[in-house]
Amino acid sequence: MNIKFSKYQGAGNDFILIDHRMSPLENIDNELVAQLCHRRFGIGADGLMFLLDHEDYDFEMVYYNADGKPGSMCGNGGRCIVAFAKHLGIFDSETNFLAVDGPHYAKITAEGDWVELQMIDVEQVEKDGDAFVLNTGSPHYVAQVKNLASLDVFNQGKAIRNNETYQANGINVNFVEPKPDRLFVRTFERGVEDETYACGTGVTAVAMAMAKHQQQIGKVETPIEVLGGKLQVNFNYDGQKFTDVFLCGPAEKVFDGELDI
């Protein structure tokens, strides 16, 4: 059986995308998904997405982590599937689609390479010592550090993700270092079980945590630097709730291919 796919990346967060509108999504082989995402024995990706038809939305996004298991919301994946859907001719410049955490609105440039994706509103932000813990479609731990460029993100992130508090369900671990004109962020992602070049729900969580920490009220626009490039997170914050949340950044096709399964 031949299956066509596209490879996309958003600030270095890379994904396999499959147009699954013509057939029902059932009996997904989780081991096969993990193999396709493997960087030595497969295509290589941080995750795999299926694009499905939906009677109430332009399309539905179904996401699997690189370990082959169904994932929670992926922000950069959401931006990439928006670009994928535009290139398929599903919509022109604005879209509404369904993901695992609910409906999302997004808009894309005419060139199809810059996507602004609306994320869920967030009200609950907790503390774990000096760190912040919140859910932006996926659960995130946010710790402010110094000398982030030289930090052992893999081992420190893995230790937090697997500690007694978070081991059962896992958590994405974000380290942030404020710079004069941006936030520098590095993330250890559950499901990938490694550091990734970018994490969309992660930088969204970081921007919110730092806004709360710095008591920024009103419309907040936060430039973000990640290993894979630059992102921006915009929202309104009234001191209690984050609304009108947008994750903005690049989404580019890397190549098209065909699988013989």
Side-chain angles (χ1 to χ4, degrees):
M1 179 175 62
N2 289 329
I3 298 177
K4 293 181 179 179
F5 72 92
S6 294
K7 175 81 175 282
Y8 276 72
Q9 64 89 12
N13 219 181
D14 60 342
F15 307 96
I16 301 164
L17 290 115
I18 297 174
D19 181 1
H20 216 294
R21 290 176 292 167
M22 297 299 107
S23 57
L25 184 65
E26 56 187 19
N27 300 322
I28 296 301
D29 186 331
N30 301 106
E31 289 185 6
L32 176 60
V33 171
Q35 181 182 341
L36 294 176
C37 291
H38 198 286
R39 298 192 183 278
R40 295 292 183 269
F41 301 106
I43 299 164
D46 292 327
L48 182 149
M49 284 176 280
F50 294 98
L51 185 148
L52 280 68
D53 272 328
H54 196 286
E55 60 183 13
D56 297 322
Y57 299 91
D58 291 334
F59 62 91
E60 181 177 359
M61 166 187 170
V62 178
Y63 180 74
Y64 286 79
N65 284 318
D67 62 4
K69 299 176 183 177
S72 50
M73 180 56 185
C74 176
N76 286 327
R79 293 190 309 96
C80 284
I81 204 170
V82 166
F84 182 55
K86 176 181 172 61
H87 295 155
L88 290 174
I90 294 174
F91 73 97
D92 182 26
S93 59
E94 297 181 74
T95 184
N96 289 279
F97 69 94
L98 185 65
V100 67
D101 64 340
H104 287 265
Y105 162 81
K107 56 185 178 180
I108 189 170
T109 56
E111 296 78 16
D113 58 1
W114 183 269
V115 178
E116 298 184 5
L117 171 65
Q118 187 166 19
M119 307 293 282
I120 61 171
D121 293 346
V122 173
E123 188 167 8
Q124 186 173 0
V125 181
E126 300 176 349
K127 293 293 293 290
D128 181 351
D130 291 332
F132 293 87
V133 178
L134 61 160
N135 193 308
T136 55
S138 291
H140 285 276
Y141 177 104
V142 178
Q144 190 173 173
V145 299
K146 296 180 180 179
N147 302 317
L148 179 53
S150 60
L151 186 74
D152 185 351
V153 169
F154 176 80
N155 284 308
Q156 292 201 29
K158 182 179 180 180
I160 295 168
R161 178 257 187 269
N162 290 293
N163 69 21
E164 289 185 2
T165 302
Y166 305 113
Q167 185 177 31
N169 297 317
I171 198 165
N172 301 284
V173 182
N174 306 271
F175 300 99
V176 54
E177 181 179 11
K179 301 287 187 178
D181 59 346
R182 66 196 186 283
L183 298 177
F184 178 35
V185 180
R186 294 175 66 186
T187 302
F188 179 94
E189 284 199 53
R190 68 169 187 176
V192 179
E193 303 308 326
D194 202 349
E195 181 178 10
T196 55
Y197 273 46
C199 177
T201 54
V203 298
T204 303
V206 168
M208 291 177 177
M210 295 306 293
K212 184 177 181 68
H213 177 67
Q214 297 171 356
Q215 299 182 328
Q216 295 175 289
I217 304 297
K219 184 172 178 59
V220 180
E221 298 182 352
T222 307
I224 307 280
E225 176 192 357
V226 294
L227 294 182
K230 296 179 180 179
L231 297 165
Q232 181 155 319
V233 179
N234 303 330
F235 49 72
N236 288 314
Y237 181 47
D238 63 3
Q240 297 293 325
K241 188 174 183 179
F242 299 91
T243 58
D244 296 320
V245 184
F246 278 86
L247 170 65
C248 311
E252 301 177 353
K253 180 190 287 189
V254 182
F255 60 86
D256 294 318
E258 193 168 298
L259 295 168
D260 184 8
I261 298 175

